[in-house]
Amino acid sequence: MAEIRRVVDIRILNNEDRARLIIDLSDVSQFAIASLAEPDRIVVDVKADALFAPIAATEAGTGLIATYTLDLAEQGRVRAVLNLSSPAQVQQAYMVAPIENQPARLIVDLIPDTAEHFANRVADDYRAAEARLDENASAPVNGNDEAEARTDGEAGDLPVPPPVIEGAAKPRPLVIIDPGHGGIDGGAEAPTGLKEKDVVLDFARELQRLLVAQDQYDVAMTRQDDTFLRLEERVAIARANKADLFISIHADKFEDAEIRGTSIYVRDEQATDVLDKVLADSENRADLVAGFAPPDVDERVTSILVELMRRETRRQSFRAAEAMLNSLEPNTRLRKIPLHKADFFVLQAPEVPSVLIELGFLSNETDIANLTKHSWRDKTAEAIARGIKVYFDRAAQN
């Protein structure tokens, strides 16, 4: 007998610039999203047999979402309705597989939209639903087919478009952006009090926005807020979701305040110089400082096949780093030797090409000034986004 799939929790993060719906599930599932009008709302359907409890209209605070509800739309389908305070669009939606004691999660991110674009999206979704009704009307209706033929929800609502098919081939590369540190782990700190965890989250959000705007990739982030994640959790997220590229964002510090500039690291067992070893050890100790220790990885017992996989992954990581650096060079001050190898724990996924970008140093006055400027952030993020496009375009040709 198949295990019952349940919705076990729901959370809303909400402000004027973006909103996030998080639905915790007992296992990964299919989902579908549609935009509806009068009132303006976004409907999220998840294939599930049960939920922890229905939620009547509940205020979501001040932001894009005014109120939300959660209920069984019909047997086997749980529906979340996000009533909007202003037009919004889905920036991205993705399912995260369960990791250790964490449940599976459906994450839906919303950003502001124009009234015209929202109306067009509503029209598109209604046309898709009408097409389904026409298909159903032309077929015999009996037994379980009846549920597919009828209109769902309130009067005048059309059914949500068909759900994404679980296990279907991934149509676009998945890029996972990992803003370093977070929560109780603030990372490096400038004399001004500027914390690494805040700088890299701000930068990661801009890079995510640029990549989503290219409309060529699925883009996810390991954290969207001031949350602590263990290093192995970050790696597990990349592996569980079969990421095509994992980008960890940092801004470190060093005792020599003259050292500055952006650099990119790929994984290697031997650090290339003393500075790289110090930085790598600092990142790998982050979990110990926070009360967690990453698991030991004994490379001596790694099989020949896994080692071959690692070599290919490192080759792809190098190509990605090279493409980004070539794009960064005309726009951003780079370290004298900008491409480095170091044993950063977060780069260890054997099958996921991974790079770590050090934006600059919070021990250097010029870098600190740059890291606080939106103009520098935008220019640098744009260069990295262009480099990512070059990397994937070249990979598609091979």
Side-chain angles (χ1 to χ4, degrees):
M1 183 176 180
E3 184 178 350
I4 295 177
R5 188 179 280 108
R6 300 175 182 275
V7 170
V8 297
D9 198 7
I10 182 173
R11 297 183 299 287
I12 300 286
L13 305 176
N14 194 28
N15 61 46
E16 298 293 342
D17 297 321
R18 63 190 306 115
R20 166 169 279 200
L21 165 70
I22 304 171
I23 297 179
D24 290 346
L25 297 133
S26 58
D27 200 357
V28 294
S29 186
Q30 303 168 13
F31 65 92
I33 302 173
S35 302
L36 300 173
E38 298 180 359
D40 291 351
R41 60 205 186 280
I42 290 176
V43 177
V44 180
D45 274 15
V46 182
K47 185 176 181 181
D49 304 295
L51 71 161
F52 62 99
I55 298 177
T58 301
E59 292 187 1
T62 302
L64 293 175
I65 302 172
T67 63
Y68 66 96
T69 63
L70 183 72
D71 207 348
L72 274 171
E74 63 181 24
Q75 187 59 41
R77 182 148 56 107
V78 172
R79 171 172 290 180
V81 178
L82 309 178
N83 295 297
L84 303 176
S85 59
S86 59
Q89 62 177 298
V90 176
Q91 182 188 43
Q92 61 178 355
Y94 55 96
M95 188 75 65
V96 177
I99 300 172
E100 295 181 352
N101 61 343
Q102 294 184 5
R105 287 173 178 165
L106 170 61
I107 297 174
V108 181
D109 288 329
L110 306 183
I111 57 175
D113 200 0
T114 64
E116 180 181 6
H117 188 273
F118 182 81
N120 291 337
R121 173 63 64 187
V122 170
D124 289 343
D125 288 348
Y126 267 76
R127 278 193 293 269
E130 286 172 341
R132 286 185 65 207
L133 286 178
D134 291 341
E135 291 174 5
N136 290 331
S138 63
V141 177
N142 55 62
N144 292 333
D145 293 336
E146 186 176 359
E148 288 294 326
R150 67 170 180 262
T151 298
D152 300 322
E154 302 171 7
D157 283 358
L158 290 171
V160 175
V164 174
I165 302 302
E166 182 180 342
K170 186 166 52 180
R172 303 192 295 186
L174 171 62
V175 179
I176 293 184
I177 305 172
D178 174 46
H181 308 281
I184 58 175
D185 176 16
E189 185 171 345
T192 60
L194 183 67
K195 289 183 172 61
E196 180 182 5
K197 68 175 183 177
D198 300 323
V199 169
V200 299
L201 180 59
D202 182 57
F203 188 91
R205 285 172 173 164
E206 177 60 16
L207 180 59
Q208 178 192 35
R209 185 190 69 79
L210 291 169
L211 291 176
V212 169
Q214 289 185 17
D215 198 26
Q216 297 181 28
Y217 324 104
D218 292 326
V219 188
M221 285 174 48
T222 56
R223 67 180 181 96
Q224 287 272 7
D225 51 23
D226 189 18
T227 300
F228 172 76
L229 289 173
R230 290 174 290 155
L231 297 177
E232 62 265 33
E233 287 182 289
R234 300 170 191 266
V235 175
I237 289 171
R239 299 191 67 193
N241 290 279
K242 297 180 174 58
D244 296 281
L245 183 61
F246 179 83
I247 304 171
S248 192
I249 308 291
H250 290 263
D252 225 300
K253 65 187 299 184
F254 194 59
E255 59 186 14
D256 184 353
E258 296 301 313
I259 293 178
R260 60 169 297 223
T262 301
S263 56
I264 299 183
Y265 289 77
V266 294
R267 180 174 170 81
D268 190 63
E269 304 313 314
Q270 301 295 324
T272 52
D273 57 37
V274 174
L275 172 61
D276 295 340
K277 186 60 179 173
V278 169
L279 294 179
D281 288 347
S282 176
E283 295 301 328
N284 292 347
R285 287 199 305 268
D287 279 3
L288 295 175
V289 172
F292 298 90
D296 293 332
V297 178
D298 188 351
E299 292 290 340
R300 294 171 298 179
V301 301
T302 303
S303 69
I304 293 175
L305 289 177
V306 171
E307 183 55 34
L308 289 174
M309 180 188 297
R310 286 185 185 277
R311 289 179 186 177
E312 177 58 24
T313 299
R314 288 172 187 165
R315 187 178 296 111
Q316 294 300 327
S317 299
F318 177 83
R319 290 173 179 169
E322 189 176 47
M324 286 183 243
L325 284 172
N326 287 340
S327 182
L328 280 166
E329 187 173 12
N331 301 280
T332 304
R333 166 70 180 264
L334 301 178
R335 280 176 60 188
K336 187 174 181 180
I337 302 176
L339 180 58
H340 293 255
K341 298 179 181 180
D343 191 16
F344 286 106
F345 184 89
V346 79
L347 301 179
Q348 75 162 346
E351 73 279 45
V352 179
S354 305
V355 300
L356 185 148
I357 302 176
E358 289 283 3
L359 297 174
F361 287 82
L362 292 172
S363 46
N364 178 272
E365 290 184 1
T366 304
D367 275 2
I368 293 170
N370 284 337
L371 290 167
T372 56
K373 292 178 183 175
H374 288 299
S375 58
W376 183 92
R377 180 204 66 185
D378 295 349
K379 179 178 66 174
T380 304
E382 287 169 2
I384 291 173
R386 286 195 299 271
I388 292 170
K389 184 179 187 306
V390 169
Y391 165 70
F392 279 116
D393 287 348
R394 289 175 178 169
Q397 294 170 3
N398 296 333

